[in-house]
Amino acid sequence: MNLKLYNSLTRKKEDFVPLVSGCVGMYVCGPTVYGMPHLGHARSYVTFDTLRRFFEYNGYKVKYVQNITDVGHIVGDVDDGEDKIQKQAKIEQIDPVAIAYKYENFYFDAMDKLNVLRPTISCRATGHIIEIIDMIQKLLDKGYAYKTEQGNVYFDIHKFKDYGIMSGRSLDETLSGQRIDIASDKKCNEDFALWKCADNGHIMRWPSPFGLGYPGWHIECSVMAKKYLGDTFDIHGGGIDNMFPHHECEIAQSTLANDTSFARFFVHNNLVTINGQKMGKSLGNSIDLQTLLSKYNPDVLRLYLLQNHYRSVLDFTEQGLAETQKIYEKFLDFIKNNAYSSDKNLLIAYPDVDECKMSFMESMADDLNTSLALSHLLQMLKIGNITSDLNEKRYIASILKDLLQNIFGLKLEFNITNNKESEIIDILIKLREQFKKDSNYAISDFIRDELKDIGITLNDSREGTTYKIEQ
Ligand SMILES: [Zn+2]
């Protein structure tokens, strides 16, 4: 497979060749668990799950590492605000650890519904305090960080000449833009907290050589990526809103702490907007996944997200979702009505169908162009609906099912009951044929009529017998 991926580091599509042949190491920034998962989470994690599935489909072994931020993410991403989890704990009057655990469960529950595979390694910031302290100490020892009188440790951004290179934000620009939130003890506004001193009111705090405190947000990803994937690894993913400052900070501290380059590819999914407005919890227009998934089949939402290329802005509308529902039902009906045959020998190749599959794979390999890939599946469906060749229909149904389930990650849940159902109907069709051969028409008609009574119609033709289930 020749996969091209858009690399935010170079701002162009590049051939992706993994560091270790046949294996892919991916780190994707996970959620900060202080609130309900929303549509933005769904978009990001469905994107990277689909990338992972595409690699795995093509025979790669993927190590997918994703963190859970359960401490240190400051409100507004600035260093003198309050920890988001601590803040929510005060609102709900429960322990911050309980807050993190509660929303982590909500997060995984929503992702399970969307059929997002669990990470190979799911790691929490609070479980890596020792490694975090180690990396901070290394940065202090090398003179890339400094400790202030208040007990905070900051990364000295002027020590990293490439800061802002990916996002195109130069230090001068950011200096003029963000004066308002400067913490009093920083040398420079862009310096970011590696360790924050914690007072008695802060429950989540740990002893360290720098004093009692808790880690900053950016350092956790550098530490966990290093621990599980090594200093240099294949792909770092996340939402585009993480590119600056979060990923720039990760690059700066990892490069200087490890004396080598960090992720080889940075892949960013774009934002979700609602009526052209950025979606956000603080903006009050955030769409909560639990509500959305109670109204729509998770498969439909997943397909809707994949209908748009991950690098374009997705303007969410319920009307769009309803249209996707129609497409989804067409796929589902076709597969359901044609995929019953368990006899794989019947499946011979059909070049026009194979061509669609090849185009699908090529679109996916071209920077994960899921929207173009979907158009090839629709083309296949069209061929399937036109042809009167039952074998070709079955052939198409089996390919659609394979690609939709294993690459697009749809559950197509009818299969769970329908597989058994189909097998039983298959047996009944064979029995009926036998009775007909033996001229026992009373029994063969009985099978046909009884099936009809429960909404299963048998159609006899020269090629054999097919059936249709009435909805
Ligand atoms: Zn991160």
Side-chain angles (χ1 to χ4, degrees), residues 19 226 229-234 258 260-264:
L19 270 178
K226 178 184 170 75
L229 294 169
D231 292 349
T232 307
F233 56 95
D234 293 314
N258 303 331
T260 186
S261 57
F262 188 45
R264 298 165 60 235

Side-chain angles (χ1 to χ4, degrees), residues 27-30 67 69 217-218 220-221 236-237 242 246-247 250:
Y27 184 93
V28 178
C29 288
N67 64 311
T69 299
W217 172 36
H218 314 305
E220 65 171 274
C221 288
H236 192 315
N242 279 336
H246 185 52
H247 290 163
E250 281 185 41

